[in-house]
């Protein structure tokens, strides 16, 4: 049976419920240019293929200067919406982290920039459970490249075979797999229709995620009461 010593966590859509806000920020900035970004387009372009919707603007004949200006405006708009959000922690994730914390090392590997990451966690009380956080500024190429997860494994001081990743996007899954990590995918509103064929497993809730992770950690069993907080 597989056992683990470390867990590397994605952030947006896994720890915090921020992807809808990011989608809305992109949609609202693109609407004046005749681009009505749908949730499926957002998932396919941003969370799967990792190229955003800027190709549509460029295809309309707009120049790169407009793209750069809209990127900057999105940074500000997304930060504003994060500040206005009251509760961003995903339901049940705090209990999963608290139960795992005494048993395994944990870090965050996110494509979010530090500014947005810190705002999103201003009131979550989740960061106490992690040994480190790697935001987008801290590693080379973004997901689906493995750079972030490779650095995360270095920071843990563990082999990929002794760890798992927790993700919610196709590009995050590919990044984890490319770093040699088995990956658990958590379902949410954005990804509920995607197959995730290359995942170790796909779970529908944090309660189920907690059970799967606990099964990898010696001594963490339901009979010993370790999972009561998940249910």
């Amino acid at each position: 049976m597989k056992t683990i010593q470390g867990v590397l966590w994605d952030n947006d859509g896994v720890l915090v419920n921020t992807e809808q806000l990011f989608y809305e920020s992109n949609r609202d900035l693109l609407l004046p240019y005749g681009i009505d970004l749908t949730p499926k387009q957002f998932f396919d372009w941003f969370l799967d293929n990792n190229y955003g919707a800027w190709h549509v603007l460029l295809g309309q004949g707009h120049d790169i200067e407009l793209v750069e200006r809209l990127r900057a405006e999105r940074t500000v708009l997304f930060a504003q919406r994060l500040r206005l959000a009251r509760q961003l922690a995903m339901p049940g994730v705090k209990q999963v982290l608290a139960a795992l914390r005494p048993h395994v090392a944990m870090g965050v590997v996110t494509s979010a920039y530090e500014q947005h990451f810190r705002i999103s966690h201003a009131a979550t009380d989740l960061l106490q459970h992690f040994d480190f956080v790697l935001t987008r500024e801290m590693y080379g190429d973004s997901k689906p490249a493995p750079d972030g997860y490779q650095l995360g494994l270095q920071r843990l001081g563990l082999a990929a075979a002794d760890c798992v990743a927790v993700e919610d996007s196709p590009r995050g899954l590919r990044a984890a797999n490319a770093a040699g990590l088995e990956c658990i995918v958590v379902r949410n509103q954005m990804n509920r229709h995607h197959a995730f064929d290359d995942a170790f497993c796909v779970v529908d809730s944090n309660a189920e995620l907690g059970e799967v992770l606990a099964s990898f950690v010696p001594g963490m069993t339901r009979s010993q009461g370790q999972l009561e907080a998940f249910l």
Side-chain angles (χ1 to χ4, degrees):
M1 185 180 78
K2 181 179 179 66
T3 61
I4 62 170
Q5 300 175 50
V7 183
L8 291 173
W9 296 77
D10 179 42
N11 181 60
D12 297 284
V14 172
L15 299 177
V16 286
N17 187 18
T18 51
E19 284 180 343
Q20 180 67 25
L21 297 176
F22 189 60
Y23 160 64
E24 292 170 359
S25 298
N26 283 279
R27 181 199 62 197
D28 292 353
L29 286 172
L30 291 168
L31 271 175
Y33 300 91
I35 303 168
D36 189 1
L37 185 68
T38 67
K40 185 178 188 310
Q41 288 172 328
F42 175 77
F43 182 86
D44 291 344
W45 295 345
F46 288 79
L47 303 183
D48 190 352
N49 296 308
N50 194 36
Y51 54 64
W54 311 117
H55 65 291
V56 182
L57 281 173
L58 296 173
Q60 290 178 344
H62 297 289
D63 56 33
I64 194 66
E65 286 75 16
L66 174 64
V67 170
E68 294 305 319
R69 178 169 65 80
L70 290 177
R71 283 183 186 271
E73 290 179 14
R74 183 186 63 184
T75 295
V76 175
L77 180 59
F78 184 43
Q80 290 172 343
R81 289 181 169 173
L82 289 173
R83 290 189 183 96
L84 290 173
R86 293 186 177 181
Q87 177 52 260
L88 288 173
M90 285 295 207
V93 74
K94 183 176 182 179
Q95 292 88 340
V96 176
L97 294 172
L100 284 170
R101 184 59 179 146
H103 303 277
V104 296
M106 295 195 290
V108 178
V109 178
T110 178
S111 297
Y113 287 93
E114 183 177 10
Q115 173 193 1
H116 295 141
F117 181 87
R118 295 298 170 186
I119 297 170
S120 70
H121 282 280
T124 66
D125 199 32
L126 299 181
L127 299 186
Q128 62 177 311
H129 300 295
F130 296 104
D131 297 290
F132 60 87
V133 172
L134 300 179
T135 56
R136 180 64 192 88
E137 300 92 337
M138 300 175 69
Y139 55 88
D141 291 334
S142 184
K143 301 172 184 179
D147 300 31
Y149 279 117
Q150 289 172 338
L151 181 57
L153 289 169
Q154 292 177 24
R155 294 285 292 270
L156 288 176
L158 296 169
D162 297 322
C163 304
V164 294
V166 182
E167 273 284 354
D168 75 311
S169 71
R171 69 188 184 104
L173 169 61
R174 292 198 297 274
N177 287 168
L181 286 156
E182 291 184 312
C183 184
I184 303 168
V185 172
V186 185
R187 288 281 186 209
N188 57 36
Q189 182 179 358
M190 284 284 180
N191 69 18
R192 62 188 183 277
H193 298 306
H194 194 79
F196 294 106
D197 292 331
D198 295 325
F200 176 80
C201 68
V202 180
V203 298
D204 291 319
S205 67
N206 277 315
E208 187 179 353
L209 173 64
E211 292 186 21
V212 172
L213 289 171
S215 73
F216 297 153
V217 181
M220 284 190 68
T221 64
R222 183 179 297 181
S223 63
Q224 293 176 321
Q226 299 282 4
L227 294 179
E228 290 177 1
F230 301 154
L231 305 175

